Amino acid sequence: MLLVAQSAELKLKDKECERLSKVREQLEQELEELTASLFEIDMLQAEVTALKTLVITSTPSSPNWELHPQLQSPSKAVFRKGHGRNKSTSSAIVTAASQNVTPAPVSRECKEVDSILFAEFQSWKESPTLDKSCSFLDRIYREDVGPCLDFTKQELSELVRVAVEQNTLTIEPVASQMLPVVKVSAEDSGGPKKCALSGLPRTCKHRIMLGDSGNYYYISPSCRARITAVCNFFTYIRYIQQGLVRQDVELMYWEVMRLRREMSLAKLGFYPSEM
């Protein structure tokens, strides 16, 4: 009888141990899921904070040095931890420092506010709108946006302009073709070796989609630079319109001028090598 009782007691203990083990496993799983969830929330909050910091505190006239280490002096850049976006520049700086070579002084450009352009921007800033009939945007459309998006293929150029204005244009690398391609025709959409906007034989590393049409158009690096320059301008003025940019009006003005210069350079054919 004693052995039977002990055996029954051991079975009960085994069952209890098994139950406790399952409870522990369940708690560990829930803890892992909670930790992962909190980590994802932290990552999202960090991204939002970084975006707000970039928009609110960083302009060419008053750059945020933490966000733009490439703007630091060479002596500071050498000892900064982390990865630089421009590897060739970083390598050149380190080499120069290791050889005790004094870097050439960086020339500072002079700037002077144009009273007419500044007055137009101030007037727009008091009641920001995306209506291109206002004097501020009318001038930029005529002098920058229009010429920058004036490609050889006129019909497609117009579609691109509308998509940029409506913020419905998507640019993606050609290598990451995750979505199905619905081609209008080989002639209209271009290809990896032909730009759909210029019609010229070019190596196309990116493609665009207008809205949710599902039609992709292959574009050359130069055309991508032109579209990106215009998109950057619209993004910034939308931020101003939404009240996200908290800077002195003159700093905002100079940022707008910088973006206008980027559009002008892109129109003339200049674009970064990583394009």
Side-chain angles (χ1 to χ4, degrees):
M1 292 293 295
L2 181 60
L3 291 175
V4 172
Q6 289 179 342
S7 177
E9 186 179 354
L10 288 174
K11 288 183 178 180
L12 288 174
K13 288 183 177 180
D14 288 342
K15 288 183 178 180
E16 182 65 14
C17 288
E18 184 179 354
R19 186 184 69 82
L20 291 175
S21 178
K22 289 182 178 179
V23 170
R24 185 181 67 180
E25 291 177 358
Q26 183 177 357
L27 289 175
E28 289 178 348
Q29 182 177 356
E30 291 178 354
L31 180 61
E32 288 180 1
E33 293 176 354
L34 178 60
T35 303
S37 177
L38 291 175
F39 177 75
E40 291 176 359
I41 292 174
D42 288 341
M43 290 296 292
L44 289 173
Q45 288 178 340
E47 290 179 3
V48 171
T49 302
L51 176 60
K52 288 182 178 179
T53 303
L54 175 62
V55 173
I56 294 172
T57 66
S58 182
T59 66
S61 301
S62 180
N64 186 315
W65 303 110
E66 290 299 315
L67 291 171
H68 303 286
Q70 69 274 22
L71 298 180
Q72 298 187 53
S73 63
S75 60
K76 293 181 180 179
V78 170
F79 298 101
R80 180 176 176 81
K81 294 182 179 180
H83 300 283
R85 290 188 177 183
N86 191 328
K87 295 182 179 179
S88 59
T89 302
S90 302
S91 300
I93 292 174
V94 173
T95 302
S98 63
Q99 296 178 355
N100 295 322
V101 177
T102 303
V106 179
S107 61
R108 295 182 178 275
E109 63 178 357
C110 297
K111 298 186 297 186
E112 181 177 342
V113 173
D114 183 283
S115 59
I116 296 177
L117 298 180
F118 188 67
E120 290 177 349
F121 176 72
Q122 272 190 312
S123 177
W124 175 83
K125 175 65 177 61
E126 292 174 1
S127 182
T129 175
L130 296 180
D131 183 0
K132 58 186 177 183
S133 63
C134 68
S135 58
F136 168 67
L137 285 181
D138 176 65
R139 176 188 297 275
I140 295 178
Y141 262 92
R142 286 185 289 103
E143 298 179 359
D144 304 309
V145 175
C148 205
L149 297 182
D150 183 20
F151 301 101
T152 303
K153 303 295 183 179
Q154 293 292 316
E155 185 176 348
L156 182 56
S157 298
E158 179 63 19
L159 294 176
V160 168
R161 183 188 61 78
V162 172
V164 170
E165 290 176 347
Q166 297 177 350
N167 200 22
T168 59
L169 183 143
T170 303
I171 302 178
E172 67 176 33
V174 172
S176 59
Q177 297 179 2
M178 303 299 293
L179 300 175
V181 179
V182 182
K183 290 191 174 182
V184 284
S185 74
E187 178 69 23
D188 295 332
S189 64
K193 297 295 182 181
K194 182 181 180 182
C195 178
L197 285 167
S198 67
L200 298 174
R202 295 288 185 271
T203 299
C204 300
K205 300 179 181 179
H206 292 81
R207 61 182 187 176
I208 58 174
M209 182 173 70
L210 311 178
D212 56 357
S213 64
N215 292 331
Y216 287 93
Y217 302 90
Y218 292 82
I219 57 174
S220 66
S222 175
C223 290
R224 183 203 172 200
R226 291 165 64 171
I227 294 173
T228 300
V230 177
C231 287
N232 288 342
F233 167 75
F234 277 107
T235 297
Y236 188 67
I237 63 171
R238 286 192 190 101
Y239 284 159
I240 296 178
Q241 184 192 34
Q242 296 165 11
L244 295 175
V245 184
R246 308 189 189 285
Q247 284 280 2
D248 179 79
V249 65
E250 186 171 337
L251 294 178
M252 294 185 195
Y253 166 80
W254 281 118
E255 177 66 3
V256 169
M257 293 303 105
R258 184 190 71 80
L259 293 168
R260 291 192 63 183
R261 180 169 64 179
E262 291 301 315
M263 287 189 281
S264 297
L265 289 173
K267 168 59 182 174
L268 293 173
F270 296 96
Y271 60 91
S273 58
E274 61 267 20
M275 284 287 183

